């Protein structure tokens, strides 16, 4: 909520006043400042923007940061080095073990384009520590090929991404790394919904199924297998249809009891929805659906109510999606 964020923001300001007095914090109530709201195109609340070198042109958006500690890291990485330079295995171990998650870049040398992409990514992911190294010993110790990024979870490597010189997509890297703040498959509920929307992946796939059915374990395993392949490109979400509080999400996707298990893809930017053509939730069907969606070949699913029996009785006809074309055109 705005109130919560306001408190965390104030806490960050208090702590940074001692450490970095050059950084000033301010807050604006745009309900009274219409000109400022317009100038900076403020659509959602709360919005945090960072102005650099006294310029009001092109401030940097600070998105999805909700805690004082993350704010502080975000600001520090914008005003100073965004990653720690690692020279020894001990130093690497300390970073990897200090937190649940850590990201280490292993490089041939520290002056190439992929290092730049790595440091830029670190600025946008303040939730976890970033370190980089060009030390032969450290690379050999972890058996990692040079020019790769490794994500460590609870001290163990869980993902290795080879960084290609100069062609690295920073947004793609940011999306991929942020997904590690969630489980491979995230169950949708009140607590996780905020986290799901904080990860900047615009494609979400949702599996609607009752969690207590006999086939649940098998379906869930298939869903997890497919999820590993599309990490960073499509976010895998599970919706338990037995949970009454999920009612609004069924309505939004027009899912009925007889439809489950059902699989849908939602594009958050366009709000377009897609239905998996196959009925069975197998690894093959899921992979095929995701791939055809990413290739732009999936058909948009325009859900519709059934045509009412008395749609034609009165002078004003009742139109739903299914009879729209035939009646209007």
């Amino acid at each position: 909520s705005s109130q919560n964020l306001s408190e965390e923001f104030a806490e960050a300001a208090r702590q940074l006043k001692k450490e970095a007095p050059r950084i000033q914090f301010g807050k604006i109530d745009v309900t009274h400042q219409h000109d400022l709201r317009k100038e900076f195109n403020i659509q959602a609340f709360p919005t945090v923007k960072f102005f650099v070198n006294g310029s009001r042109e092109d401030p940097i958006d600070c998105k999805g940061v909700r805690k004082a500690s993350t704010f502080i890291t975000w600001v520090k990485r914008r005003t100073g080095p965004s990653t720690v330079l690692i020279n020894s295995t001990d130093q690497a171990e300390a970073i990897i073990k200090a937190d649940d998650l850590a990201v280490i870049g292993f490089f041939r040398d520290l002056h190439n384009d992929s290092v730049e992409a790595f440091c830029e990514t670190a600025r946008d992911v303040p939730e976890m520590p970033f370190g980089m190294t060009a030390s032969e010993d450290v690379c050999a110790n972890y058996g990692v090929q040079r020019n790769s990024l490794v994500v460590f979870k609870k001290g163990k490597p869980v993902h290795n991404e080879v960084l290609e010189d100069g062609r690295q997509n920073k947004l793609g890297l940011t999306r991929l790394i942020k997904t590690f703040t969630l489980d491979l498959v995230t169950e949708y509920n009140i607590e996780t919904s905020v986290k799901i929307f904080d990860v900047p992946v615009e494609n979400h796939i949702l599996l609607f199924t009752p969690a207590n059915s006999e086939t649940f374990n098998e379906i869930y395993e298939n869903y997890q297998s497919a999820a590993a392949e599309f990490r960073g490109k499509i976010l895998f979400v599970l919706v338990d249809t037995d949970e009454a509080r999920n009612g609004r999400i069924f309505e939004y996707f027009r899912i009925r009891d007889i439809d489950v298990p059902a699989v849908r893809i939602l594009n958050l930017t366009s709000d377009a929805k897609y239905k998996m053509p196959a009925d069975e939730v197998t690894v093959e069907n899921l992979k095929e659906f995701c791939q055809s969606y990413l290739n732009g070949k999936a058909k948009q699913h325009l859900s519709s109510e059934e045509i009412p029996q008395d749609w034609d009785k009165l002078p004003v006809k009742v139109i739903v999606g299914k009879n729209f074309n035939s009646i209007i055109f």
Side-chain angles (χ1 to χ4, degrees), residues 115-134:
V115 171
E116 206 172 306
F118 182 79
C119 293
E120 289 267 312
T121 304
R123 278 186 202 150
D124 287 333
V125 190
E127 295 91 336
M128 50 189 95
F130 275 67
M132 63 178 183
T133 187

Side-chain angles (χ1 to χ4, degrees), residues 85-104:
L85 187 58
I86 295 170
N87 295 312
S88 69
T89 304
D90 287 352
Q91 213 183 343
E93 280 296 293
I95 291 175
I96 290 163
K97 293 199 167 130
D99 243 304
D100 256 9
L101 287 161
V103 183
I104 309 284

